[in-house]
Amino acid sequence: MNNGEFCFAASYSSESWDQYWEGTLLRENGNIGTFTRQTIMPMFALGIHNKLNLLAQLPWVSTEASQGQLKGVSGFSDLGIFLKAQALHSTLGPGKLSFNPTIGFTMPVSNYLADYAPFSLGLGCPIFTMRANLQYKLDMGLYVRGTAAYDLRGSSTIERDYYYTTHGIYSDEIDVPNAFNYTATLGVWLFNNSLNMDVTFDGQTTDGGHDIRKQDVGFPSNKMDFTRIGGFAHYYFDFIPGLGLFGGYNQILTGRNVGEAMGYYVGLTYQFQLLQPEESQN
């Protein structure tokens, strides 16, 4: 966004699964039945320069199972703050090539239990994210985009001083493995840029970690890998400039120590000029 522009977004998402991968074994768990995670996500973005945006998000999460004795939890999870830059935006043939790197940091804002898988609100650790986003968009509206990101994860603290992974550890600190994320997107802008639609294939590969032990529960230091497909649409209304409605669907295809989840999300965006450029530069 340009200097002084502000965008607020709010979304609701729900994902559920009744099977999960214990290592590479896809199985059911009668103590959980169907697991559901719901998230309400407020977000904002501010143009602090014509080529630099500040973004923030703070999700509220609720988890529950359809059966068993384990109780779900709810609350705010991890605050995220990011800087996104436009490092390249130039004409190339019948379209434009753009490169947008992002750096950011997330950290827990509530004292949730990190080792209460799958009900935990998050991993319970600070995360530093580096992301590269390369896109080529044709003048007629079709585009392709590739994204690669690496998460440097810190340690989380649990309420006991001994735990077992592949061996016993006397500590209340868990080293959470780093992760590499990637996304490939094919999309199009239609109706004078009032409708944006795309399909995505994305995934995660954990740098280290271990499998869930047989008949055990998940743990923050697990290796958590997956591939996923999804679809997305965003419509911008004419009668209220800056107002948009978006929604999407995704499905886990393959995984390791994660649930075979499918989910959907819906939300609203509203973008407007908050500050005049000369004011935002002072």
Side-chain angles (χ1 to χ4, degrees), residues 81-145:
I81 300 176
F82 306 89
L83 285 173
K84 182 177 181 179
Q86 185 184 81
L88 173 68
H89 187 72
S90 61
T91 300
L92 180 64
K96 290 183 171 56
L97 180 68
S98 59
F99 175 61
N100 303 102
T102 302
I103 59 171
F105 182 80
T106 62
M107 62 178 297
V109 294
S110 62
N111 190 29
Y112 61 80
L113 295 175
D115 61 335
Y116 188 37
F119 298 92
S120 177
L121 303 182
L123 293 173
C125 66
I127 303 174
F128 177 73
T129 298
M130 299 171 289
R131 179 178 293 112
N133 186 80
L134 184 66
Q135 175 178 284
Y136 182 67
K137 179 185 175 185
L138 296 172
D139 295 335
M140 51 79 69
L142 190 68
Y143 64 89
V144 292
R145 182 168 60 238

Side-chain angles (χ1 to χ4, degrees), residues 19-279:
Q19 295 188 92
Y20 69 99
W21 283 274
E22 183 183 78
T24 57
L25 173 65
L26 184 61
R27 57 161 294 179
E28 297 178 348
N29 189 328
N31 292 321
I32 295 176
T34 298
F35 174 80
T36 301
R37 177 182 297 269
Q38 300 178 84
T39 304
I40 297 174
M41 176 88 79
M43 300 169 282
F44 81 82
L46 174 66
I48 57 178
H49 186 276
N50 286 340
K51 296 184 180 295
L52 186 64
N53 288 177
L54 172 68
L55 304 95
Q57 62 186 39
L58 180 58
W60 183 90
V61 179
S62 174
T63 61
E64 62 180 358
S66 65
Q67 60 192 53
Q69 303 302 314
L70 296 175
K71 181 178 176 57
V73 296
S74 62
F76 288 104
S77 57
D78 300 341
L79 171 67
I81 300 176
F82 306 89
L83 285 173
K84 182 177 181 179
Q86 185 184 81
L88 173 68
H89 187 72
S90 61
T91 300
L92 180 64
K96 290 183 171 56
L97 180 68
S98 59
F99 175 61
N100 303 102
T102 302
I103 59 171
F105 182 80
T106 62
M107 62 178 297
V109 294
S110 62
N111 190 29
Y112 61 80
L113 295 175
D115 61 335
Y116 188 37
F119 298 92
S120 177
L121 303 182
L123 293 173
C125 66
I127 303 174
F128 177 73
T129 298
M130 299 171 289
R131 179 178 293 112
N133 186 80
L134 184 66
Q135 175 178 284
Y136 182 67
K137 179 185 175 185
L138 296 172
D139 295 335
M140 51 79 69
L142 190 68
Y143 64 89
V144 292
R145 182 168 60 238
T147 303
Y150 194 75
D151 291 339
L152 291 169
R153 296 167 172 171
S155 60
S156 60
T157 302
I158 59 177
E159 295 182 347
R160 49 195 166 112
D161 56 11
Y162 175 84
Y163 59 92
Y164 191 96
T165 56
T166 57
H167 59 281
I169 299 175
Y170 286 93
S171 176
D172 63 350
E173 296 287 325
I174 304 171
D175 291 328
V176 182
N178 301 330
F180 173 73
N181 298 271
Y182 55 89
T183 306
T185 303
L186 175 64
V188 65
W189 286 88
L190 301 170
F191 307 120
N192 294 321
N193 290 331
S194 63
L195 176 63
N196 175 213
M197 302 176 65
D198 64 40
V199 292
T200 61
F201 176 82
D202 73 306
Q204 174 177 284
T205 301
T206 308
D207 186 7
H210 56 89
D211 288 331
I212 299 174
R213 296 187 300 160
K214 188 174 182 179
Q215 303 299 328
D216 203 352
V217 296
F219 203 64
S221 56
N222 284 145
K223 185 177 186 67
M224 290 179 272
D225 300 343
F226 65 84
T227 60
R228 178 173 55 189
I229 58 171
F232 168 84
H234 195 166
Y235 182 75
Y236 297 87
F237 297 97
D238 291 333
F239 60 91
I240 303 180
L243 180 65
L245 172 68
F246 66 87
Y249 171 87
N250 51 63
Q251 169 72 60
I252 297 287
L253 299 176
T254 64
R256 186 165 186 163
N257 304 304
V258 297
E260 191 184 29
M262 67 175 183
Y264 67 91
Y265 55 93
V266 294
L268 290 170
T269 60
Y270 184 57
Q271 183 173 335
F272 59 96
Q273 189 73 37
L274 177 65
L275 302 170
Q276 294 303 316
E278 59 271 18
E279 294 176 3

